[in-house]
Amino acid sequence: MTKFSDLNLNPKVLKAVEEAGYTSPTPIQQGAIPPALAGRDVLGIAQTGTGKTAGFVLPMLSLLARGRARARMPRSLVLCPTRELAAQVAENFDAYSKHLKLTKALLIGGVSFKEQDKLIDKGVDVLIATPGRLLDHFERGKLLLTGVQIMVVDEADRMLDMGFIPDIERIFSLTPFTRQTLFFSATMAPEIERVTNTFLSSPERIEVARQATASETIEQGVVMFKGSRRDREASEKRKVLRMMIDAEGDKCTNAIVFCNRKIDVDTVAKSLKTHGYDAAPIHGDLEQSQRTRTLDGFRAGDLRILVASDVAARGLDVPAVSHVFNYDVPSHPEDYVHRIGRTGRAGRDGKAMMICSPKDEKNMLAIEALIQRAIPRLENPLGTPPESTDQIGEETDASKPRRSRSRKVTANPPKPADTTPTDVQASTAAPTSPEAGIVQQTESDAPRDVVTETPAQPDVHDHVEQSHDNRAGRSRGRGGRGRSGNGNGNGDKVVGMGDHMPSFIALSFEERRTG
């Protein structure tokens, strides 16, 4: 079995590794360290939690042990997608370089430019930065990248997700062509493949696991959840999460709960705290000082549950996370692999559980296709909602189409007693089809939604007035138009003004103009 002592590391670096309690390298470290020490470009592909950080930190420190940095010209550069990951890489450099006289600077957002400028002006051997803050310093004229000998891109697939690839390409163009490049990623999307083909020179490719696979030490499961009603779904989903945490009992020593949206991170964290759980949120909208305190408390064991967005999904090394709960199904299948990779690290056992709503089933199937295995279904702690409850939920659903307010017309309405002369019946009978007109409703004992005919009235004028009074409001309620072709809304023939025509209408145009 290979040991760190067999990898030709600098003796002072090897001493720090042994003091940290490590004797044998992981597969990615064993594959990446020798070619990196030989000065070759390295393309490392491995699932999260396999020790990629030490895979580039240890050879970098060994190569930088000799030499001296100049002001504003760092000798090496490490690019990380998030502030937390950059801070973690800086901690690794501190741990493994304690016997070396090397300097470092950490350039991340949320920290004063002034303090960072002071470190750069003194000259640093290792510069660890996020792409945005690095370019800010460069554009302000405070930083030169022409002295970079070794450049590292960590979590490149996360860089792609966050839209940093154009920044990465620009930073590559600012560094010397003769630099050594160490490029690490968990997956190799076509865009990342293009970047490596452009900026890496005959790299040594180390792929220690199938792309986008979950560790075999992680027990996975998913709860298929459906809310009883639309207005109760969110609260019931949070209750399912609490019941899942409670079901694990003492086995759940600490856990990370992942949500897709920042607003849900705050809501879930507040809900857990309200119900007596030791929980705190972490996402990109929080102040950097608060994010740092929360993460430090979780690492130290002072905080049991960390509710996080995907800002904490990549690369964060908290060795003893016992559980990961996916409150939301991630929209990108690769994010699932990185989320659950926060548990089961360094050969430890871990457990990852997910809550899947009906609207998320498509994304879950994509995850199963990516990891090439079915995620075991777990029993819903709330049980299956009864059918009647589902029907109630459907009735209260705001998206359900409203019932038509128009009245039904029977195909063959009941006929009244034959008490009216036949010729009157024929002349005043109302049409029976909706296309012909609206039938007058009576105060009979017929059902509410069924409209029946009335016997024709002997006086035509009374009939017209009654029809107009009974239906005027209803016609205006539907926009003032009836369903008959004559446009008067009552389905009867148009009746003139008779003897009540105003006198001015009878005047000719000339008489009205001159009068």
Side-chain angles (χ1 to χ4, degrees):
M1 184 176 181
T2 304
K3 297 183 178 181
F4 279 110
S5 57
D6 302 328
L7 298 180
N8 297 322
L9 293 169
N10 182 284
K12 295 182 179 180
V13 175
L14 184 60
K15 181 180 180 181
V17 171
E18 293 174 348
E19 290 176 354
Y22 299 112
T23 57
S24 300
T26 64
I28 187 64
Q29 294 166 358
Q30 184 176 341
I33 290 176
L37 289 173
R40 295 188 58 187
D41 287 357
V42 173
L43 175 58
I45 305 171
Q47 63 190 27
T48 185
T50 55
K52 286 181 292 183
T53 303
F56 63 78
V57 169
L58 298 181
M60 281 182 64
L61 292 175
S62 297
L63 293 172
L64 295 172
R66 298 187 183 90
R68 182 178 179 182
R70 290 181 291 176
R72 300 187 181 180
M73 296 181 65
R75 298 170 61 197
S76 64
L77 173 63
V78 180
L79 293 177
C80 302
T82 65
R83 304 174 188 176
E84 285 75 20
L85 183 55
Q88 178 180 297
V89 172
E91 292 174 1
N92 276 264
F93 271 101
D94 290 337
Y96 298 131
S97 66
K98 60 183 180 180
H99 301 300
L100 297 172
K101 295 182 179 180
L102 295 176
T103 58
K104 77 169 192 331
L106 178 62
L107 305 185
I108 59 176
V111 181
S112 170
F113 275 99
K114 186 176 181 180
E115 296 298 324
Q116 295 175 352
D117 288 340
K118 289 180 181 179
L119 295 175
I120 296 173
D121 288 341
K122 293 179 181 179
V124 292
D125 297 293
V126 180
L127 183 63
I128 306 164
T130 54
R133 179 53 67 99
L134 178 73
L135 290 175
D136 287 342
H137 280 278
F138 177 81
E139 292 171 352
R140 294 170 63 245
K142 301 294 185 179
L143 179 66
L144 297 174
L145 299 178
T146 53
V148 173
Q149 303 169 18
I150 305 172
M151 179 173 173
V152 178
V153 178
D154 193 16
E155 298 287 352
D157 50 345
R158 183 61 174 163
M159 298 275 198
L160 175 63
D161 294 341
M162 299 177 68
F164 286 149
I165 293 300
D167 291 343
I168 299 299
E169 292 177 329
R170 183 185 177 193
I171 294 170
F172 266 117
S173 67
L174 299 175
T175 58
F177 178 75
T178 56
R179 72 185 178 277
Q180 179 185 4
T181 305
L182 310 179
F183 200 96
F184 290 87
S185 180
T187 59
M188 288 298 292
E191 186 70 9
I192 296 176
E193 194 84 38
R194 182 186 63 80
V195 172
T196 58
N197 292 337
T198 303
F199 297 105
L200 272 67
S201 176
S202 301
E204 180 76 16
R205 185 182 178 111
I206 299 98
E207 186 172 356
V208 300
R210 179 173 54 85
Q211 295 186 23
T213 57
S215 174
E216 295 297 328
T217 63
I218 301 175
E219 179 185 351
Q220 303 178 54
V222 58
V223 172
M224 307 304 293
F225 164 77
K226 182 179 180 181
S228 62
R229 283 175 32 174
R230 174 68 64 88
D231 57 344
R232 299 178 182 174
E233 182 176 358
S235 61
E236 289 177 348
K237 188 176 182 181
R238 292 192 292 269
K239 184 176 181 180
V240 168
L241 174 64
R242 296 193 298 270
M243 296 177 72
M244 292 169 65
I245 295 174
D246 292 341
E248 294 301 306
D250 295 337
K251 293 184 293 184
C252 183
T253 56
N254 59 356
I256 302 179
V257 178
F258 285 107
C259 303
N260 287 350
R261 303 188 304 168
K262 298 173 185 177
I263 188 173
D264 290 333
V265 171
D266 290 328
T267 301
V268 172
K270 183 177 180 180
S271 173
L272 289 172
K273 292 176 66 176
T274 301
H275 287 83
Y277 296 82
D278 184 18
I282 181 171
H283 55 74
D285 286 349
L286 298 176
E287 293 291 336
Q288 182 60 37
S289 57
Q290 182 178 351
R291 291 163 63 176
T292 301
R293 288 195 304 270
T294 300
L295 190 58
D296 289 345
F298 185 68
R299 284 175 172 164
D302 300 330
L303 178 67
R304 184 189 176 206
I305 300 175
L306 182 68
V307 186
S309 62
D310 281 316
V311 70
R314 302 293 185 98
L316 295 185
D317 185 16
V318 182
V321 176
S322 64
H323 287 68
V324 165
F325 295 94
N326 280 294
Y327 181 79
D328 295 315
V329 178
S331 54
H332 299 289
E334 294 83 1
D335 288 340
Y336 175 79
V337 177
H338 293 290
R339 286 181 179 186
I340 70 173
R342 299 309 99 209
T343 185
R345 300 176 71 84
R348 297 180 176 88
D349 292 332
K351 193 167 185 178
M353 291 182 285
M354 181 166 58
I355 304 174
C356 179
S357 303
K359 63 182 179 181
D360 298 322
E361 290 181 4
K362 183 178 179 180
N363 290 335
M364 191 190 69
L365 293 176
I367 291 171
E368 292 180 327
L370 179 68
I371 64 177
Q372 298 183 12
R373 59 179 292 187
I375 303 176
R377 272 49 172 177
L378 305 175
E379 183 180 356
N380 187 342
L382 292 180
T384 303
E387 189 68 22
S388 60
T389 305
D390 289 343
Q391 294 174 357
I392 294 174
E394 292 176 2
E395 290 293 328
T396 59
D397 190 349
S399 64
K400 182 178 178 64
R402 293 185 177 181
R403 182 179 299 173
S404 175
R405 294 165 60 185
S406 61
R407 298 187 182 276
K408 297 180 181 178
V409 180
T410 58
N412 296 301
K415 296 184 179 298
D418 191 10
T419 59
T420 309
T422 305
D423 55 343
V424 178
Q425 278 189 336
S427 62
T428 60
T432 59
S433 63
E435 292 76 7
I438 300 177
V439 182
Q440 181 180 357
Q441 184 179 5
T442 67
E443 298 296 328
S444 64
D445 294 333
R448 182 178 180 182
D449 287 337
V450 178
V451 181
T452 60
E453 295 182 302
T454 61
Q457 302 296 326
D459 188 283
V460 177
H461 293 288
D462 292 343
H463 172 68
V464 172
E465 289 183 18
Q466 182 179 2
S467 300
H468 177 73
D469 293 340
N470 289 344
R471 288 191 294 268
R474 186 172 59 186
S475 298
R476 287 193 296 270
R478 290 194 295 267
R481 292 181 180 271
R483 300 171 65 182
S484 60
N486 58 23
N488 65 357
N490 56 24
D492 299 317
K493 64 181 181 179
V494 178
V495 180
M497 290 178 286
D499 298 334
H500 303 287
M501 182 174 66
S503 59
F504 75 89
I505 296 180
L507 297 176
S508 66
F509 177 75
E510 290 296 331
E511 291 174 332
R512 277 180 283 174
R513 189 180 66 172
T514 58

